[in-house]
Amino acid sequence: MTPSTEHAFDVLFIGSGQAAWNAALPLTQAGKKVAIVERHKIAGVCTSYGCNPKIILDSPIKTIEDAQLYGGKGLESSFSLDWSKLMEHKNSILDPLPDFLGKMLSDAGVEIVHGEAKFEDARTVIVNGERYTAEKFVIAAGQRPMLPEIPGSELLKTSDDFLYLPKLPKRIVLIGAGYVAMEIASIASKAGSEVEVVQNSDHVLSGFHQPYAEALIEKMKGDGVVFHFEDKAVRLEQQGEEFVLFTEKGLSLKTDLVINATGRIPNTDGIGLEAAGVEYTEKGIVVDEYLRTSQPHIYASGDVLDKKQPRLTPTSVFEAKYLGALLSGMSDAPINYPPIATIAFTLPRIAQIGVSPEEAKQSEGYKVKPVELGKQWDFAGRGDTDAHMTLVFDGKGLLVGASAYSREALDVINALTPVITLKLTAEQADRLVYAFPSFESTIAGLLRQGQTE
């Protein structure tokens, strides 16, 4: 098809997720003519296939676990989880969001273009047979699940599919043991599925504090999850109404569903990066400290980047807000990433921020302090007796890292995030008077541990 009509903008975004619309909105409000090109649902993976659906499905599972911790302590409970009704509830909350956010952006002046965007050259993209030009482009195309090259791979499902299952299968096999796989395993096993995990290494949750990951494995085994370590999926077959996954070690795992969770790959193919002269690697698009690509008028943001920072929604939001300020002329500074908190929504949770205990032990000048949270009265009172935390202090006694293993790890790490980011001392933390009882009220005392040998 020969492109016909041409549309001109100040800034054009390829993708509409958190890495895009959080920049598009302020740019429009600053008077820029802005367009977003989206081939799927407005607002991207997090809204429809990531954080939002996951946490809705996880919440009742955590409620069940929390209640069970009081067994024999005054609360005897029995729960019946109806997966289909839970899924209907999730859909009723999330299905309207893409249209809601699309309308919000349109009402603000952002032009929404539905279709596949492909660079014709460094100054033009083609969408639905029409040319779109812009002074600046922002590639925020995100990532997609990676599928292994094995016979029968077309039979595999992904986390996207799991989050929309109308009925929960009796048996599920997961390939991979990163945070997506472990979160699905936690939810599915507690919801009543028989879960098996095939992992090519001898550990789970690479990048997280491994003693906590090992504790999680043992806890999940107690919930009935079966792990097959140092093994690989080599073939998947459908036999009647069930599937059989064959592994390198000779296992034949019969199941109702096989979910591939071996990782995600950047959406760098099919958008004409070669024609635009944009450099990229298998890890994503290469950018400088201003998020500029090899073409100075083309920027990139979010999970599509080749970067060392965690590919998480908060990171994408931070990058988008940075670009909003940069491209509107409100800032000319390079991007300066703060410490980024991350969490695996397993049961218990594992969360962390800043310098990890592993990194601290490999470098000089750090002190690593373990904290047995489960022995504190508040955690013990909730039955969270396995809760643990590891703090990392620098040579000045400032808290620079924290890892937590607890059902309340999200709140623990979020409470420590401003302490680490703002480099608060114990004396400064003492100026913050929190509601009590709370973990926050213990922070000043924890920081003083960095001042002692």
Side-chain angles (χ1 to χ4, degrees):
M1 179 183 295
T2 302
S4 54
T5 309
E6 184 171 302
H7 309 264
F9 294 90
D10 295 320
V11 185
L12 184 143
F13 291 83
I14 297 176
S16 68
Q18 300 282 351
W21 73 262
N22 282 288
L25 193 58
L27 284 170
T28 301
Q29 294 168 342
K32 300 292 184 181
K33 187 179 180 183
V34 179
I36 284 178
V37 181
E38 175 56 60
R39 64 182 178 179
H40 195 35
K41 292 183 179 181
I42 296 296
V45 168
C46 179
T47 301
S48 298
Y49 298 100
C51 326
N52 293 5
K54 172 184 67 183
I55 204 63
I56 292 177
L57 297 180
D58 167 86
S59 293
I61 303 297
K62 184 176 185 298
T63 299
I64 293 171
E65 279 248 332
D66 288 345
Q68 289 173 343
L69 291 178
Y70 280 90
K73 302 180 179 70
L75 176 65
E76 299 305 326
S77 55
S78 176
F79 293 90
S80 176
L81 180 70
D82 189 320
W83 181 267
S84 296
K85 287 185 178 179
L86 177 59
M87 189 63 63
E88 289 174 5
H89 168 66
K90 176 200 60 91
N91 293 343
S92 72
I93 300 297
L94 298 185
D95 284 356
L97 285 186
D99 288 342
F100 171 80
L101 290 169
K103 185 177 185 301
M104 178 190 74
L105 292 167
S106 295
D107 289 348
V110 178
E111 182 169 332
I112 306 294
V113 182
H114 292 278
E116 300 260 357
K118 186 173 184 178
F119 281 99
E120 180 182 53
D121 54 45
R123 294 286 176 177
T124 312
V125 296
I126 307 298
V127 188
N128 301 325
E130 297 188 358
R131 281 192 174 91
Y132 291 79
T133 62
E135 290 186 12
K136 309 285 185 185
F137 292 91
V138 178
I139 304 169
Q143 291 185 314
R144 66 181 184 276
M146 176 175 59
L147 290 177
E149 296 181 358
I150 62 172
S153 61
E154 71 278 1
L155 301 173
L156 291 168
K157 300 300 183 181
T158 68
S159 59
D160 294 4
D161 301 304
F162 175 80
L163 295 171
Y164 283 86
L165 287 175
K167 293 183 179 180
L168 190 67
K170 181 181 178 181
R171 301 168 297 176
I172 297 176
V173 171
L174 286 151
I175 305 174
Y179 75 92
V180 171
M182 295 297 281
E183 288 173 347
I184 291 175
S186 282
I187 293 172
S189 62
K190 295 297 290 188
S193 289
E194 299 171 7
V195 178
E196 297 185 68
V197 177
V198 177
Q199 169 68 347
N200 61 6
S201 71
D202 62 354
H203 61 278
V204 305
L205 294 173
S206 296
F208 284 86
H209 189 34
Q210 282 304 294
Y212 295 163
E214 291 166 6
L216 179 64
I217 290 172
E218 294 308 310
K219 192 271 180 184
M220 292 178 70
K221 286 180 178 178
D223 289 336
V225 179
V226 177
F227 291 90
H228 305 288
F229 287 112
E230 297 184 297
D231 203 354
K232 294 181 179 180
V234 295
R235 187 172 81 257
L236 178 60
E237 293 181 3
Q238 184 168 3
Q239 297 180 1
E241 295 183 356
E242 68 180 8
F243 299 92
V244 181
L245 182 70
F246 298 90
T247 75
E248 194 173 63
K249 287 186 174 180
L251 295 177
S252 302
L253 305 178
K254 295 181 179 181
T255 185
D256 303 306
L257 182 70
V258 181
I259 298 175
N260 178 67
T262 53
R264 300 177 74 87
I265 56 176
N267 290 319
T268 51
D269 55 327
I271 57 176
L273 295 182
E274 295 85 354
V278 172
E279 181 184 351
Y280 66 97
T281 71
E282 63 179 12
K283 296 180 180 179
I285 294 174
V286 178
V287 295
D288 65 9
E289 67 271 24
Y290 295 92
L291 300 186
R292 293 178 302 203
T293 70
S294 48
Q295 293 283 9
H297 67 289
I298 301 178
Y299 297 75
S301 178
D303 290 353
V304 78
L305 296 183
D306 181 349
K307 61 184 177 184
K308 62 181 180 180
Q309 288 77 21
R311 290 178 173 84
L312 302 168
T313 293
T315 317
S316 296
V317 172
F318 184 83
E319 290 164 351
K321 290 180 176 179
Y322 166 77
L323 284 178
L326 183 72
L327 300 182
S328 65
M330 295 178 62
S331 172
D332 61 359
I335 192 167
N336 181 20
Y337 289 96
I340 298 170
T342 184
I343 181 170
F345 280 95
T346 51
L347 290 168
R349 320 298 203 195
I350 301 179
Q352 61 190 29
I353 185 171
V355 179
S356 71
E358 285 80 2
E359 291 171 331
K361 291 175 181 178
Q362 293 173 4
S363 306
E364 295 183 1
Y366 291 111
K367 289 188 290 185
V368 177
K369 297 279 187 177
V371 180
E372 294 184 336
L373 291 176
K375 291 185 177 181
Q376 295 182 181
W377 72 266
D378 48 346
F379 285 86
R382 290 191 294 267
D384 198 2
T385 54
D386 291 333
H388 200 276
M389 181 171 63
T390 305
L391 302 177
V392 178
F393 297 90
D394 67 9
K396 298 178 181 178
L398 293 175
L399 184 66
V400 293
S403 298
Y405 176 78
S406 166
R407 286 163 180 80
E408 309 307 323
L410 175 65
D411 293 337
V412 169
I413 291 301
N414 277 345
L416 294 176
T417 293
V419 175
I420 292 173
T421 303
L422 301 177
K423 301 179 180 180
L424 299 184
T425 64
E427 291 71 29
Q428 290 169 324
D430 257 336
R431 295 288 301 164
L432 303 173
V433 182
Y434 296 99
F436 184 85
S438 64
F439 169 78
E440 286 84 350
S441 62
T442 70
I443 289 176
L446 291 171
L447 293 182
R448 288 191 170 88
Q449 294 190 29
Q451 301 170 357
T452 60
E453 291 299 330

